[in-house]
Amino acid sequence: MDSWPRRFIAYWFALWHLRQPPLATASAQERARWCRDHCGTFAGRWFALGAGLWLLFSTPFTSFAPLGIIGILGLVMGMWHIAWQILAQGRAGPPPIEPPAEFPRPDAERDEPSDRDDDKP
């Protein structure tokens, strides 16, 4: 990324990433997996911006109408990215989940001496 407008667009919009290599030439399944895994980040950024501007607008000190409008647009963009994530998860399926790890349970084996100070079984 060589210019600040491209950095700005890349920070706020998932669609920009989907149109850049290597995702531009990827299959629909790979693009859906990428969107499932990353659109929540973009939605969180938009929700934070929209909620922050709306709360700032709702204070009596800064009732500047463009703040409220941009805040509502930020919330709408957050909903748009969340909708993309939900649709992408429907296409790509849920993310892979690792099986749970087995943890040793010290209370399961009563044959070994206890390391506790109260010496209760």
Side-chain angles (χ1 to χ4, degrees), residues 12 63 71 75 100 105:
W12 289 103
S63 0
L75 292 172
R105 296 192 54 151

Side-chain angles (χ1 to χ4, degrees), residues 63-85:
S63 0
F64 185 57
L67 283 179
I69 293 170
I70 294 171
I72 290 174
L73 288 176
L75 292 172
V76 167
M77 289 298 292
M79 290 179 225
W80 182 48
H81 279 88
I82 284 292
W84 269 22
Q85 185 179 24

Side-chain angles (χ1 to χ4, degrees), residues 16 111 114:
W16 185 88
D111 298 337
S114 174

